[in-house]
Amino acid sequence: MGPDAAQPAAAPSDEPAGVREQPSAAPPSRVVTAAGARGLGDFDRVATGTNPIVNFLGFLVFAGLLFGVAWGLSWMGRMWAARIVAILWILVIFGALFVVGYAFLQLLSGFRAVYVFRNGLVWTHNRDVQAATWTEVDRMVTTAVQGKDPHEAVIHLLDGRQTRVEFTAENEGVREQLAETLTRWQRPVDFEIAGFTEKDEERQAYRGAAAVLGVAGLFAALFFSFVTNRGFGLPIGFSLVGGFLTVALVLAGLALRFPPLRIVAGIFAGIAGLCLMVEVNRWTDVHFVVVTGAVIAFEAALVSIWRTLHRQLPAPRWFGRRRSLAKSNGWRYLDTAEIPVPGPKSIAHLIGVPTGATTTTGEGVLVATVNGIECTVYDRARRRPLMGDPVLTVWQVPLPATVPYATLKELSMRDISLDERGDVHIFEPTPPTRAAQILDRVIETIPAQVHPDWWIEGRYLCLAESVAPSATTIARRANYLTYLATQTPWQQLADPAVWQPTEPTRWDDDSVFAPAVVEALRLACEGRFPGSDLHTAETLGALIRADPSAGWDRVWQLTGPPESLKLESGVFRTIDPRRSDSAPRPAYRGDALFSPELARALLVAQAIRERYGLLVITTGVLALGLVGFRGAGATEALLAGGRLSHEQLLAEVQAALLGTPLDDLRTIVPAAPN
């Protein structure tokens, strides 16, 4: 399945003066020829990969050092017969053998280079030369170790080709230039953090199956080895090789259906290779270093050949589950169909979709009717998938109104971001827009432990996942999205005004507060966790510290001492941050954003002050606002012991902190006693 047809993207305007640096040395003639044939223009720079020979020798030296350590441990073992020395010797030997194998894989990886031109790029792998214009690029995905700058990237093309770029010291500036160029050509630049994968239901299920099959495979390999050794007289070493290799091949076949089994298959193949190395050494008189090196080189070559051939095999397409779903539920199934692209920003969530495309080709298309509306489920790939090619499964639900682009991640994590180094940045909290509040209330009604990372754009609600979903997951995701679509007031969200920031209320004027309340707000703002908003429970705790003699003892006799309530530990922060409609506008003091409940508490305190003609908001008045409504953290903390009702709590706060009940308080605080 090739990339969709679209009008070629217009060439972006020339970069500003000073962006271009002096070009690197002239590229080889074969690169110049390939660039000229594609009209790539002037040569800019080259990003060369690390030298495989140097890598090979470096890893061999490291392996030699490990073998030296093993020799030292062997000498120590003869001097001191300690079990720990023998265990360390085995671990070091295994480590050295692994490094030797990795060294041969490095040697077989070949020479790579990427040549950047004004209108595209050329890349070489040994003698192979390929070229592409910037309009043919799908995206670039950088990879970094946590806390480090990205060390490499993969550039994916719309037709399924790809090339790897290494960011070495000699290639300084290449990453920034590629990212800037692709951004100008309206192509996404993504990043991955090595060792980090998002957890999802499908991967968890696959991992459980992989563990079970791994244990079963171990017993099967040992049984096969026993049969071939005792039944056919095959030497035990070769029997073990045959047993573990057979299981590895079976698991590799099952991995076509359950991808995580590839790791288990690799482990069994590695054990078979280790057994082969030991057995060949037993049957030859050549020095074990020579034999071991030759066997490892042979095995590394087999792995390299297998990887090359495996990547050229067509990936199996498993659509039987979707056909069964369609048949059992009366839905429609199509082998392929043209699917609308929701908008320009949705292209970054899909793969193989050119800039400006309005439709894309979906494969294995399931049109399901759930909760009274249609949900289209389809697979998207850059080409007819080969083994190892990424395939996205996309869910797409039509909406009754056109809405701006937004993602769940942006709406729920407005003040947290992750950069390409894997560093987390926490910013000062910002109030949600009215649109975010509307969506928050709808999401709160969906009974899901983990919400999938959906997005909206134009007239569609979408979700894309890279793990082949089971029939259960397909149906569950369709039910989730259609429920969200039916419960959301999209006509309201179609108004651009609800997506604009709301003018906040500011509480910076100290003249409206009593001195103790000013001090309490200072303590609360300074003590809040960086990047979080300020809650009612924290503020109540600060108020108690700032004015301990206000009459709290009478309250504690009924609720328990404040130490037992843990007002500032977060235990009683029962406020759901999605309840943004508690206050009509966000509230700040300095740079501290108040939670919706705290904003409402201040409004209640201000209303009490004005209603009863008080000069300032006192400790008692603010306390009434803090505990005026159920659900607020301060209220729930004081009621957690179950010793009194909310109405009784409000009565005690008035008696203890104000000295008298307030007439007609129910007009401001409905739960107040008559």
Side-chain angles (χ1 to χ4, degrees):
M1 178 167 49
D4 298 294
Q7 293 297 324
S13 58
D14 292 341
E15 57 264 59
V19 172
R20 275 189 176 276
E21 300 178 5
Q22 291 297 319
S24 307
S29 58
R30 60 196 179 103
V31 172
V32 174
T33 300
R38 299 302 307 275
L40 301 186
D42 298 333
F43 170 65
D44 195 342
R45 64 171 70 209
V46 60
T48 56
T50 54
N51 190 312
I53 297 177
V54 173
N55 289 344
F56 171 72
L57 295 176
F59 280 108
L60 282 187
V61 170
F62 181 53
L65 292 175
L66 290 178
F67 280 121
V69 172
W71 179 87
L73 290 172
S74 177
W75 178 81
M76 291 177 60
R78 290 193 295 269
M79 301 293 294
W80 300 284
R83 178 176 298 178
I84 185 63
V85 176
I87 294 174
L88 288 175
W89 180 85
I90 293 173
L91 293 176
V92 172
I93 285 292
F94 276 125
L97 294 175
F98 174 81
V99 172
V100 171
Y102 191 73
F104 280 104
L105 287 177
Q106 289 291 306
L107 183 63
L108 295 170
S109 65
F111 293 85
R112 297 177 181 272
V114 175
Y115 298 85
V116 181
F117 290 80
R118 185 177 186 83
N119 299 322
L121 67 161
V122 177
W123 63 96
T124 62
H125 182 203
N126 296 329
R127 301 302 300 174
D128 182 44
V129 181
Q130 298 189 56
T133 63
W134 294 123
T135 58
E136 298 174 66
V137 174
D138 186 2
R139 71 192 60 223
M140 180 174 76
V141 183
T142 63
T143 302
V145 177
Q146 178 78 39
K148 305 286 186 181
D149 287 333
H151 57 272
E152 69 175 13
V154 176
I155 298 177
H156 297 274
L157 272 66
L158 294 168
D159 60 9
R161 292 180 296 163
Q162 65 183 45
T163 182
R164 186 163 59 92
V165 188
E166 296 184 40
F167 302 133
T168 62
E170 294 78 11
N171 301 336
E172 185 177 359
V174 171
R175 172 171 58 87
E176 293 80 3
Q177 180 180 347
L178 287 172
E180 189 271 342
T181 300
L182 291 175
T183 300
R184 284 193 291 112
W185 284 88
Q186 303 175 48
R187 300 311 306 176
V189 178
D190 301 330
F191 63 88
E192 295 177 346
I193 308 304
F196 174 80
T197 55
E198 294 189 11
K199 295 182 179 180
D200 56 58
E201 302 166 55
E202 297 294 337
R203 284 193 175 94
Q204 294 298 327
Y206 285 163
R207 286 170 183 165
V212 172
L213 289 175
V215 174
L218 176 62
F219 286 104
L222 295 176
F223 177 76
F224 181 90
S225 302
F226 177 81
V227 171
T228 54
N229 174 251
R230 294 300 178 91
F232 300 95
L234 196 66
I236 184 61
F238 290 122
S239 295
L240 289 171
V241 170
F244 281 98
L245 187 59
T246 299
V247 173
L249 293 174
V250 172
L251 291 175
L254 293 175
L256 299 176
R257 191 70 173 83
F258 304 103
L261 288 179
R262 287 179 295 187
I263 298 176
V264 184
I267 293 173
F268 277 88
I271 296 174
L274 183 63
C275 294
L276 178 63
M277 181 182 60
V278 173
E279 193 65 14
V280 171
N281 270 291
R282 286 183 56 203
W283 286 79
T284 59
D285 297 328
V286 184
H287 195 278
F288 81 94
V289 173
V290 176
V291 174
T292 300
V295 173
I296 291 177
F298 171 73
E299 292 173 350
L302 287 180
V303 170
S304 180
I305 293 171
W306 165 253
R307 289 171 60 185
T308 301
L309 294 177
H310 181 263
R311 291 170 182 168
Q312 303 304 315
L313 295 174
R317 310 298 290 132
W318 309 97
F319 294 131
R321 291 175 292 191
R322 297 184 196 181
R323 293 189 181 95
S324 299
L325 276 174
K327 184 177 181 180
S328 59
N329 292 281
W331 299 339
R332 287 184 293 139
Y333 174 83
L334 303 169
D335 291 329
T336 60
E338 287 298 304
I339 310 295
V341 174
K345 293 188 177 180
S346 293
I347 289 175
H349 294 271
L350 306 174
I351 59 175
V353 180
T355 301
T358 57
T359 62
T360 188
T361 303
E363 188 180 12
V365 181
L366 177 66
V367 183
T369 301
V370 186
N371 293 318
I373 59 175
E374 283 192 351
C375 176
T376 302
V377 186
Y378 66 95
D379 278 3
R380 179 65 202 150
R382 296 186 177 97
R383 59 184 175 188
R384 179 65 174 86
L386 302 179
M387 297 301 300
D389 279 358
V391 177
L392 282 182
T393 300
V394 184
W395 289 256
Q396 198 159 299
V397 177
L399 302 178
T402 301
V403 294
Y405 170 81
T407 69
L408 175 63
K409 189 174 294 184
E410 292 173 350
L411 293 169
S412 60
M413 303 178 66
R414 296 183 301 274
D415 311 311
I416 302 176
S417 69
L418 182 71
D419 65 17
E420 61 182 7
R421 292 165 48 91
D423 295 332
V424 177
H425 300 275
I426 301 177
F427 308 99
E428 286 299 328
T430 56
T433 63
R434 183 60 183 159
Q437 296 175 15
I438 293 171
L439 287 167
D440 282 345
R441 288 197 299 272
V442 176
I443 293 171
E444 187 182 15
T445 66
I446 302 178
Q449 292 184 343
V450 179
H451 295 269
D453 193 14
W454 49 261
W455 79 93
I456 54 175
E457 186 177 19
R459 300 183 71 91
Y460 292 95
L461 166 65
C462 307
L463 169 67
E465 295 184 347
S466 58
V467 179
S470 64
T472 302
T473 299
I474 290 175
R476 185 186 303 124
R477 294 283 189 261
N479 182 67
Y480 176 99
L481 293 174
T482 53
Y483 180 83
L484 177 62
T486 57
Q487 299 301 309
T488 303
W490 298 107
Q491 298 297 341
Q492 294 183 40
L493 295 177
D495 181 3
V498 303
W499 296 91
Q500 300 303 314
T502 305
E503 186 67 25
T505 301
R506 302 209 62 89
W507 294 93
D508 297 322
D509 185 4
D510 290 346
S511 65
V512 302
F513 300 112
V517 175
V518 172
E519 176 63 11
L521 292 175
R522 183 190 68 80
L523 293 172
C525 291
E526 291 180 354
R528 69 190 175 93
F529 185 78
S532 66
D533 49 5
L534 186 59
H535 292 268
T536 55
E538 295 171 295
T539 307
L540 180 60
L543 189 62
I544 295 167
R545 286 187 290 146
D547 194 5
S549 61
W552 297 103
D553 290 343
R554 178 172 174 175
V555 178
W556 306 146
Q557 290 176 5
L558 298 174
T559 64
E563 295 79 11
S564 66
L565 300 176
K566 302 178 183 178
L567 287 172
E568 294 175 84
S569 69
V571 174
F572 287 99
R573 285 189 197 169
T574 56
I575 309 164
D576 190 332
R578 299 185 186 278
R579 289 179 52 180
S580 303
D581 56 343
S582 297
R585 293 195 296 175
Y588 280 90
R589 180 176 173 85
D591 60 357
L593 173 65
F594 292 173
S595 71
E597 283 72 15
L598 182 55
R600 177 170 58 181
L602 267 294
L603 292 175
V604 168
Q606 177 70 354
I608 293 174
R609 175 195 170 215
E610 295 173 351
R611 170 73 172 77
Y612 297 99
L614 305 177
L615 294 177
V616 293
I617 295 176
T618 63
T619 298
V621 172
L622 179 57
L624 272 178
L626 293 173
V627 301
F629 295 87
R630 292 302 304 261
T635 307
E636 300 307 315
L638 296 180
L639 296 179
R643 303 183 184 183
L644 69 172
S645 66
H646 188 207
E647 181 176 333
Q648 292 172 329
L649 173 63
L650 291 170
E652 289 301 324
V653 168
Q654 293 179 75
L657 303 181
L658 295 178
T660 182
L662 299 176
D663 295 334
D664 297 325
L665 181 59
R666 278 197 171 185
T667 60
I668 302 174
V669 182
N674 290 321

